[in-house]
Amino acid sequence: MTESTSLRRTPLHDVHLELGGRMVPFAGWEMPVQYTGIVEEHKAVRNAAGVFDISHMGQLLVSGKGAAAFLNRTLTNDVSKLSPGQGQYTLLLNDKGGVVDDLIAYRTSEREFFLVVNASRIDADWEHLEKQLTEEDDVMMANASDFTAGLAVQGPRSREVFQRVFENSAPYPEKNTILISMTENGPMWLCGTGYTGEDGFEFFVPIEKAVTWFRSIVDAVKAEGGVPCGLGSRDTLRLEMGYPLYGNDLSEGRSPLQAGLGFFVAMEKGDFTGREALAAQKANGMPDKLAAFRMTGTAPPPRPHYPVLHGGQIVGEVCSGTQSPSLSAGIGMTYLPSAIATLGTPIEIEVRGRQFPAEIVKKPFYRKA
Amino acid sequence: MSNIPENLRYRDSHEWIDPTQDPAPVGITDHAQAELTDVVFVDLPKVGAVVTMGQQVCVIESVKAASDIYAPVSGEIVAVNEALQNEPGLINTAPYAGGYIFKIKPSNAAELEQLMTPAAYAAHIG
């Protein structure tokens, strides 16, 4: 089977083509990398608004009397802190403390949770959760990924976009909240989240309603001075904020502590999968840590897998890397030995056999003026 | 529609060469720059390099990807467009003028005949 025949298409595929989207393979899906250009789309999100197709992402429903206890045993953050209608960033770990996935867990009611997971990890997540499920848990799991499309609206004019589309039929979802709404276009999960550092919302709808929703959102976004956006700008936007991407910056081989995500690990809540390994890392130190770097002069954009050097030795490779459209500089993230993963450390990035200087900097790379 | 000047010859990998000048400037087409969008870095070739037709000679980088540039004909690279070091976006804004990449002294005039005419290139990019 060739790659093109095995790639899945979102329900918005034909509309992407109509809008001039350049389709590329991503996590087993055929997705638009850009419509008009990465930089233009990136700036639209920073200055006005953009809409992204996130239908490839997965949605898992976990419900039942023991749902909260089950998720607190399997995820790193503390779901008991969530009231119905609230969500949190969290991680699913393996026994060794490695990251199986990073996700958002929303509590939709006292006994129901809605998990939004990475496209490439839906099956792995399901498997890791299901194998930890026992009859005593009194928990039901369902995978809604195949029936659900998703859209993300991001940018400072997201509220105006929302108002144009929803008028007064739903309240604007504040940060990290979720609301389930019945609309004339069917049910909708409306979430106050995003992956760009801008204000915005994401919503998930049945796939048969996706085109209707997408067209009305695209019209509203354009009316607010924005554009539809592809995965290219999604990547530059999230990297400017220093947000990790599963597969680049997160993997089963490294812990969330190494990735700098300790804030989302509730060590005090009681036992959870991977906790022991994390406690050992806390006690004994970590072999390496994810560090943010910025190119210090004119240089080609750093890209994933380029060698990273320190003092003439190869010490790692670029995990995420790009040219920041907001900063007009190369930025990236790399795992470095803990001793040198400190602010100001000079490193070099090797591009086609030539070394270009960079230094370790603070995240986020980009801050709103 | 993308601009395909009549006086140039083209390679299927989207480089153009101006055979009416000696040395002949080489760049990438309007179609190619529109596909790449947002050129952010140009790794210029070395002046004095002797290259053969179809040899990879340098790399231009957009936010999206790094793209190889191939020599449309054999010859010696006698000049490079230094302006691209500070202003790589010239490739987007003026692909056939200020955005040329290098100048080459062709060593075999017959090779120019193997390149695409404007009509052939227009058909190639559909």
Side-chain angles (χ1 to χ4, degrees):
Chain A
M1 198 157 58
T2 65
E3 192 169 51
S4 61
T5 57
S6 64
L7 290 176
R8 299 178 65 187
R9 290 177 171 181
T10 81
L12 305 178
H13 186 266
D14 291 348
V15 191
H16 293 318
L17 295 180
E18 187 185 307
L19 293 169
R22 308 256 178 81
M23 309 305 285
V24 297
F26 177 80
W29 293 76
E30 201 178 337
M31 300 296 291
V33 65
Q34 64 174 55
Y35 301 86
T36 49
I38 294 173
V39 173
E40 181 185 337
E41 292 163 27
H42 180 107
K43 290 185 172 165
V45 171
R46 289 276 179 253
N47 300 322
V51 53
F52 302 83
D53 180 4
I54 55 168
S55 301
H56 58 308
M57 296 191 78
Q59 295 79 29
L60 305 179
L61 303 167
V62 179
S63 58
K65 202 171 139 201
F70 172 66
L71 292 177
N72 251 3
R73 217 175 71 221
T74 49
L75 302 177
T76 59
N77 213 332
D78 187 356
V79 297
S80 73
K81 290 187 176 155
L82 298 175
S83 304
Q86 295 180 331
Q88 64 189 189
Y89 179 74
T90 186
L91 299 116
L92 175 62
L93 306 184
N94 61 26
D95 294 338
K96 297 188 174 69
V99 179
V100 175
D101 201 3
D102 64 330
L103 61 145
I104 309 272
Y106 295 99
R107 186 170 213 159
T108 48
S109 75
E110 201 53 49
R111 295 180 176 191
E112 288 172 305
F113 292 84
F114 181 72
L115 311 182
V116 179
V117 308
N118 283 301
S120 61
R121 303 303 288 170
I122 298 169
D123 294 342
D125 293 351
W126 181 269
E127 194 184 304
H128 271 268
L129 288 169
E130 198 185 34
K131 79 176 180 205
Q132 298 182 70
L133 198 57
T134 66
E135 276 201 12
E136 294 77 63
D137 283 322
D138 194 7
V139 165
M140 293 250 300
M141 276 178 28
N143 182 354
S145 310
D146 287 348
F147 323 113
T148 312
L151 296 173
V153 176
Q154 300 280 291
R157 301 200 64 80
S158 294
R159 281 165 201 263
E160 287 79 3
V161 171
F162 186 91
Q163 185 62 29
R164 281 176 187 272
V165 173
F166 296 97
E167 295 175 341
N168 295 316
S169 66
Y172 186 84
E174 295 304 328
K175 200 169 165 60
N176 293 331
T177 66
I178 187 169
L179 165 87
I180 303 177
S181 180
M182 261 330 265
T183 74
E184 58 187 26
N185 287 319
M188 176 177 70
W189 289 273
L190 189 54
C191 310
T193 37
Y195 196 39
T196 65
E198 298 295 332
D199 189 12
F201 59 96
E202 299 177 314
F203 66 106
F204 302 95
V205 296
I207 49 173
E208 60 274 15
K209 300 292 182 188
V211 169
T212 307
W213 279 116
F214 188 47
R215 287 192 190 281
S216 75
I217 291 278
V218 167
D219 288 347
V221 162
K222 285 182 173 169
E224 292 297 335
V227 292
C229 296
L231 291 177
S233 57
R234 194 166 164 77
D235 194 55
T236 53
L237 287 157
R238 70 94 192 163
L239 189 49
E240 283 187 352
M241 299 310 296
Y243 296 157
L245 171 65
Y246 197 89
N248 285 34
D249 312 297
L250 303 176
S251 72
E252 294 215 35
R254 286 192 174 97
S255 81
L257 303 181
Q258 288 168 275
L261 301 173
F263 183 76
F264 307 101
V265 178
M267 292 296 282
E268 73 291 351
K269 72 174 173 173
D271 199 24
F272 59 89
T273 306
R275 186 184 187 282
E276 209 174 318
L278 301 190
Q281 276 196 341
K282 284 202 175 215
N284 307 327
M286 290 172 265
D288 56 19
K289 285 184 193 168
L290 191 62
F293 67 85
R294 180 175 171 156
M295 308 306 293
T296 45
T298 302
R303 300 189 194 274
H305 307 302
Y306 284 178
V308 175
L309 294 94
H310 175 70
Q313 301 290 313
I314 292 183
V315 289
E317 63 169 35
V318 175
C319 296
S320 285
T322 194
Q323 182 80 3
S324 158
S326 301
L327 307 172
S328 295
I331 58 172
M333 299 202 284
T334 177
Y335 281 94
L336 289 182
S338 300
I340 58 168
T342 50
L343 292 185
T345 298
I347 58 171
E348 292 87 41
I349 309 298
E350 190 174 297
V351 185
R352 296 183 287 276
R354 279 164 66 199
Q355 287 156 21
F356 294 87
E359 72 171 333
I360 305 305
V361 296
K362 222 171 152 163
K363 287 187 288 190
F365 296 99
Y366 167 82
R367 278 190 182 79
K368 260 206 137 41
Chain B
M1 260 328 281
S2 88
N3 177 13
I4 306 174
E6 274 303 317
N7 58 321
L8 307 180
R9 289 295 175 271
Y10 301 88
R11 212 182 114 81
D12 59 359
S13 51
H14 310 289
E15 293 83 3
W16 58 261
I17 183 168
D18 182 352
T20 65
Q21 294 189 51
D22 188 14
V26 173
I28 66 164
T29 65
D30 184 36
H31 171 76
Q33 72 74 21
E35 286 290 315
L36 288 175
T37 69
D38 316 316
V39 174
V40 294
F41 187 85
V42 182
D43 230 342
L44 292 167
K46 285 207 166 50
V47 173
V50 176
V51 299
T52 55
M53 185 182 199
Q55 184 183 332
Q56 187 246 319
V57 290
C58 67
V59 175
I60 68 178
E61 302 231 26
S62 65
V63 176
K64 192 165 57 176
S67 307
D68 290 334
I69 302 301
Y70 300 93
V73 294
S74 306
E76 182 186 347
I77 292 172
V78 294
V80 296
N81 185 0
E82 298 284 354
L84 295 177
Q85 290 195 333
N86 289 325
E87 219 181 324
L90 283 171
I91 288 185
N92 296 114
T93 54
Y96 298 116
Y100 81 93
I101 301 169
F102 58 87
K103 290 183 179 172
I104 190 166
K105 216 167 171 50
S107 56
N108 178 359
E111 284 178 351
L112 286 163
E113 301 304 316
Q114 298 174 37
L115 296 172
M116 290 181 180
T117 62
Y121 182 69
H124 173 61
I125 63 174

